[in-house]
Amino acid sequence: MGAQLVLTVNYYGQLGDGTKTNRTSATQVQGLTSGVARADGSRSITCAVTAACSAKCWGTGGYGGLGSGIGVSTVPTDASGLSSGVTSIAVGIDHACAATTTETKCWGLNFYGQLGNNSTTNSSVAAGYAKTHRLCERPHILQNEIWGRGSLS
């Protein structure tokens, strides 16, 4: 299956069609005409897991949100260190996480500790955090493990 996105705004290139032109109908993502296993997106970043189990992201890379060290990309770019073994991906506001067969890797904005690395330092490339749990619906929630802003008590 190829990736087609329907959004009305494309300020950051998050549609992945090579432009920043707003769209009102389905738009083909450049370079992902087939082989997309799953995708997720936010207001400024979109990421996909390919059938080859690699992660690709596009949109604005503010705070490192694309995981590739690139600032802005209107077409899919490879997330650093995630060329194989990716099983799931989830995108939050200006950050993302991907589960691989051996660990979870997160990148982007980390103001509230949402990357789960016991830090509040942003990361512009995907870095592993030795998590082996399955990635669930949101990047800051893993099965049996939650981190980020707020108190759990």
Side-chain angles (χ1 to χ4, degrees), residues 71-150:
V72 174
S73 180
T74 59
V75 296
T77 61
D78 294 325
S80 176
L82 293 170
S83 60
S84 65
V86 178
T87 59
S88 313
I89 199 157
V91 177
I93 298 173
D94 298 322
H95 69 284
C97 290
T100 71
T101 53
T102 59
E103 63 186 336
T104 298
K105 294 187 174 194
C106 299
W107 58 93
L109 181 67
N110 198 27
F111 186 77
Y112 297 112
Q114 57 266 53
L115 301 186
N117 62 352
N118 296 318
S119 161
T120 55
T121 302
N122 300 337
S123 177
S124 63
V125 295
Y129 301 117
K131 309 288 186 200
T132 58
H133 306 289
R134 184 178 62 83
L135 189 64
C136 293
E137 296 175 13
R138 289 284 131 222
H140 57 284
I141 302 174
L142 297 180
Q143 184 176 344
N144 301 323
E145 194 160 342
I146 302 173
W147 64 81
R149 184 178 185 182

Side-chain angles (χ1 to χ4, degrees), residues 8 28 30 56 83 108 116 121 130:
T8 57
Q28 183 65 52
Q30 282 191 11
K56 295 186 179 285
S83 60
T121 302

